[in-house]
Amino acid sequence: MFDPLSLQVFANHTRAAAENMAYTLQRTAHSAFVKETEDFTVMLINRNGDTFGVPMGLGATWYPGLTYTRAIDMVADYKPGDVAFTNDPYSCFVATHAPDTHLWKPVFYEGEIIAWTGGHIHNTDMGGAVPASLSRALTEIHQEGIRFPPMKLVNEGVFDEDILKIMTTNVRKPDLNIGDIKALVGALNTGERKILAMVEKFGKEAFLEGAEVLLDHAEAQARDILRSMPDGTYVFVDYADEDSVEANPCRLKLTMTIKGDEAILDFTGSDPQLGSSLNVPSGGDPRHTMLLVGVYYVLYTINPKILLNTGLTRPFTCIAPQGSVLNPISPAAVGMRSLTCARLRSVIFGAFCQAVPEKLPAAPAGNNCIVNVMTTDERGHTVIAAVNPVVGGGGGMPHRDGTNGSGADAAYLKNTPIEITETEVPIEFVKYGLAKDSGGAGRWRGGLATEMAFRVFSPGSRITARNRDRSFFRPWGLLGGKAAGLSDMVLNPGRDDYRRLGNIDTAILQPGDVLEIRSAGGGGRGNPLEREVWRVVRDVERGYVSAEAAERDYGVVIRDGVADEEATESLRASRSASAGHFHYGPERDGYEAQWTPAAYDLLTDILVGLPIHWRFFTKTEIFRRMKGRVGPEGVSAALADVRARFREMPEPAIEAKEAAE
């Protein structure tokens, strides 16, 4: 029935329905994190559980490939008016940390389920060990708040008050949670009405067929893009700054093989599951949406007309070994999985940048720091709220500079107006803007970082700043472009009690304390010496680049606000373009001089040869003993020291033992 024109008409209806759902949720939500920052999703789901329609301009952009099938199957006897929910990451691997509460509702027509509406909200707090429930320091999921396996929340239109009581008893700001959940139920009801209107317009059979054809069309579009890429194997590695409070790097490795219209993404060689909350609970699903978020961005960058739905996942197969950071087993903590997912996207971008470098940008900032404050107002009431996401710049594009302060894969997190935040939370902003010299130099400059500072007024104000990263490993530059500036977090800048906080994600502030947070910038793309002089001068005029950086990084000499053409020409002529496909910066170059690829390959063999509960411990102990040691020989010596100290340690598998010898 569906020719290209009628299919586009049907696709437009599904998008409009999803956007109506999104507007309903945004306009009725209670928390700033949902109604302002827009950390939510809504979607239309076919009767098999696959997403076939999402909004384009509202909400998070991680989940167009999400399937609810496992969650749906864990609840029995659906009736009209029912709504089911879960926030348990390990029950069905739909929710991926406790604050993300997913709801889904059956849509009945003539007595049968023809579709579902679904979505999630990020609850500001779900209880647990810290305000807002999330911290890298947490070590097991039981510390991350109350969890609900898939169950009915609404029975034939009536909320289960017992479930709501359990939730309100265990969370810090129950009114926000319940208000946001009811707003999402309203959005699901809106979606139900829109689906039934489509059924009336197109007919039942045409609607059911259309939901499937949309998935097939998205799959075909994704396969067309893969066929346009050269077959080959592309390997890329990137690091999160710290794997836990132990502060060793967390390594992600991708070996991507493209063959025809299919691709295998093999994450073997990535770190073992961690003794922190940076783990990503994928359940080993070869097409889990969290593993493929970076792929969605690449596909959409190459073809902005691509349909966003579960069909995009079909040409891809992910390999994430069990017991690794990308496929942990319970009860591993997972609350900060978004930090690891940011690095996961960087790894995917890096692999595709080798396949089609002419089409893709340099690395975005890759650290969307989300700041929450729990404090006390002048009436003595406890206030907890998300303050603002501190998002860095986008990477330099093939045709323009990276976007300032809104870094590509994290750009969906909207900033909350300062006036609204200061109305809802008793804090005072003292800075909010773009950070000079933070974008990577390039023919196309990387986007600038965001910096924000605020003052608190009450004793014991507790701050969580999750996803703090990129304070050591820079966002990489591409094709001669330079790596970007690093992130930072400082307590009381400019005062005698000034203190740099690094990547810690929780802090206690006292009256008058000021917390300043800066994200990373985006990487530069192309040779900085080829950037037009007038663009560099304009960047200096706008405060994006200092005159010193203009001369150092771009070879442009500026005197009294004007380019000295003769001095600039001479300086540029004396310099040569940077070699190499990627530029990582001195920190990573120095780190990898010790931790070579061969050293990491040996470490991986050792860890895989151990029981899962020994792996992170062994990694940490080997790292402690690597001082002054280099490469695989250093790893072998460190392992020998560990085994001598911990005689209870199981003997690694034979291949690791032979490699170490």
Side-chain angles (χ1 to χ4, degrees):
M1 163 180 178
F2 287 97
D3 57 37
L5 180 60
S6 59
L7 182 63
Q8 186 60 57
V9 170
F10 186 77
N12 291 345
H13 275 75
T14 63
R15 173 179 170 179
E19 288 179 347
N20 271 270
M21 295 172 66
Y23 281 122
T24 299
L25 175 53
Q26 183 195 32
R27 292 173 178 176
T28 59
H30 286 220
S31 71
F33 204 58
V34 175
K35 65 186 179 184
E36 297 289 346
T37 305
E38 296 185 19
D39 194 344
F40 67 80
T41 58
V42 291
M43 56 203 68
L44 307 183
I45 306 166
N46 71 6
R47 54 184 174 180
N48 297 322
D50 293 330
T51 298
F52 70 90
V54 296
M56 295 296 291
L58 290 167
T61 53
W62 284 17
Y63 297 128
L66 185 61
T67 176
Y68 277 82
T69 305
R70 288 182 296 257
I72 289 170
D73 291 346
M74 293 179 72
V75 178
D77 192 25
Y78 290 99
K79 296 185 172 75
D82 286 352
V83 177
F85 86 122
T86 185
N87 74 322
D88 179 24
Y90 286 110
S91 287
C92 53
F93 302 99
V94 171
T96 50
H97 65 182
D100 279 1
T101 302
H102 285 257
L103 281 70
W104 58 97
K105 180 178 185 179
V107 179
F108 283 83
Y109 184 79
E110 295 179 343
E112 67 171 316
I113 296 174
I114 59 167
W116 306 77
T117 58
H120 96 280
I121 51 170
H122 181 103
N123 288 116
T124 301
D125 180 86
M126 286 302 290
V130 299
S133 307
L134 305 177
S135 170
R136 183 192 61 195
L138 303 182
T139 58
E140 59 177 357
I141 196 166
H142 304 99
Q143 300 167 324
E144 297 180 332
I146 189 170
R147 292 178 290 149
F148 296 89
M151 63 180 65
K152 288 186 183 179
L153 175 65
V154 180
N155 293 278
E156 298 182 75
V158 180
F159 276 90
D160 188 319
E161 293 297 330
D162 289 337
I163 292 177
L164 296 183
K165 287 178 183 177
I166 292 171
M167 181 179 291
T168 58
T169 302
N170 284 277
V171 305
R172 292 176 174 86
K173 296 299 290 183
D175 290 347
L176 295 182
N177 289 50
I178 303 305
D180 286 348
I181 285 173
K182 290 185 175 180
L184 180 52
V185 170
L188 302 190
N189 293 340
T190 296
E192 179 184 38
R193 291 195 300 272
K194 296 298 181 181
I195 286 176
L196 293 175
M198 280 191 281
V199 172
E200 292 299 322
K201 180 178 179 63
F202 296 100
K204 174 185 170 184
E205 296 306 319
F207 171 82
L208 294 174
E209 179 187 354
E212 299 305 316
V213 173
L214 287 178
L215 301 181
D216 294 341
H217 188 61
E219 177 186 358
Q221 289 177 310
R223 292 188 184 278
D224 285 344
I225 293 173
L226 285 173
R227 275 193 296 268
S228 72
M229 298 179 178
D231 286 356
T233 297
Y234 307 94
V235 179
F236 196 79
V237 169
D238 210 341
Y239 305 85
D241 291 343
E242 299 174 1
D243 61 2
S244 65
V245 293
E246 299 292 340
N248 298 313
C250 171
R251 182 185 193 242
L252 297 183
K253 180 181 179 181
L254 169 61
T255 301
M256 181 177 73
T257 301
I258 298 176
K259 185 176 182 180
D261 62 358
E262 296 186 344
I264 296 174
L265 280 64
D266 187 349
F267 296 102
T268 301
S270 299
D271 268 4
Q273 74 179 56
L274 306 176
S276 70
S277 64
L278 272 66
N279 302 293
V280 180
S282 69
D285 183 342
R287 294 178 181 86
H288 195 283
T289 195
M290 295 297 283
L291 300 179
L292 291 172
V293 175
V295 169
Y296 307 148
Y297 282 104
V298 169
L299 296 176
Y300 192 80
T301 297
I302 294 173
N303 178 10
K305 295 183 179 180
I306 200 167
L307 294 178
L308 298 177
N309 60 48
T310 306
L312 296 180
T313 68
R314 294 174 179 171
F316 299 91
T317 301
C318 297
I319 299 172
Q322 188 179 56
S324 71
V325 65
L326 300 180
N327 183 13
I329 61 171
S330 181
V334 298
M336 293 281 285
R337 76 347 180 209
S338 49
L339 188 158
T340 308
C341 286
R343 204 55 50 247
L344 177 61
R345 297 193 296 275
S346 300
V347 170
I348 290 172
F349 297 160
F352 276 104
C353 277
Q354 296 171 66
V356 284
E358 71 282 359
K359 295 182 179 181
L360 297 176
N367 68 314
N368 51 332
C369 176
I370 297 169
V371 184
N372 291 271
V373 177
M374 187 173 81
T375 187
T376 306
D377 65 19
E378 66 278 3
R379 296 169 295 178
H381 296 159
T382 298
V383 178
I384 180 170
V387 173
N388 237 322
V390 183
V391 179
M397 301 286 287
H399 59 288
R400 67 169 175 84
D401 294 340
T403 304
N404 291 330
S406 186
D409 54 330
Y412 69 88
L413 289 172
K414 311 298 192 299
N415 66 304
T416 302
I418 286 174
E419 296 82 0
I420 290 178
T421 300
E422 289 185 340
T423 298
E424 295 191 353
V425 188
I427 62 175
E428 178 188 17
F429 282 89
V430 297
K431 179 190 290 186
Y432 191 41
L434 300 174
K436 182 183 292 187
D437 290 338
S438 55
R443 164 66 181 86
W444 296 113
R445 175 181 46 75
L448 300 182
T450 302
E451 54 185 0
M452 178 182 76
F454 60 88
R455 179 180 292 109
V456 303
F457 299 99
S458 278
S461 296
R462 299 183 66 184
I463 311 298
T464 61
R466 67 181 173 98
N467 300 340
R468 289 279 306 125
D469 197 37
R470 289 302 202 195
S471 66
F472 184 79
F473 293 102
R474 298 172 184 266
W476 35 267
L478 182 66
L479 299 177
K482 301 296 185 182
L486 294 167
S487 68
D488 202 3
M489 185 161 67
V490 177
L491 180 64
N492 296 325
R495 288 177 19 181
D496 291 342
D497 55 350
Y498 157 95
R499 183 157 54 98
R500 179 163 274 115
L501 300 179
N503 281 332
I504 69 169
D505 54 20
T506 61
I508 298 178
L509 275 57
Q510 304 304 343
D513 280 348
V514 173
L515 186 67
E516 181 176 282
I517 303 172
R518 185 177 71 245
S519 70
R525 190 182 193 281
N527 182 4
L529 300 179
E530 296 177 1
R531 186 169 176 82
E532 297 94 329
V533 172
W534 69 265
R535 292 187 189 274
V536 179
V537 172
R538 187 181 63 179
D539 283 347
V540 173
E541 290 173 346
R542 292 177 171 179
Y544 295 170
V545 175
S546 66
E548 295 77 14
E551 184 171 340
R552 180 190 67 233
D553 297 334
Y554 294 94
V556 176
V557 180
I558 298 177
R559 307 187 196 283
D560 298 324
V562 179
D564 184 325
E565 295 183 8
E566 183 177 344
T568 295
E569 184 177 352
S570 175
L571 182 57
R572 285 188 160 186
S574 69
R575 297 182 177 178
S576 57
S578 299
H581 199 83
F582 299 101
H583 178 260
Y584 300 113
E587 298 84 2
R588 174 166 170 173
D589 290 345
Y591 177 76
E592 291 186 333
Q594 178 188 35
W595 277 98
T596 63
Y600 260 112
D601 288 344
L602 175 55
L603 178 65
T604 298
D605 286 343
I606 293 167
L607 299 179
V608 169
L610 292 170
I612 290 174
H613 67 284
W614 273 91
R615 293 176 186 174
F616 178 67
F617 170 83
T618 303
K619 176 201 168 182
T620 301
E621 293 299 324
I622 288 176
F623 265 76
R624 284 176 178 163
R625 291 161 174 81
M626 279 293 288
K627 186 175 181 180
R629 292 169 168 166
V630 176
E633 297 79 8
V635 173
S636 296
L639 174 63
D641 289 350
V642 173
R643 289 184 54 75
R645 167 62 180 83
F646 300 101
R647 299 191 180 278
E648 301 86 354
M649 177 181 172
E651 185 173 351
I654 186 65
E655 61 266 27
K657 180 181 178 183
E658 291 176 350
E661 293 174 349

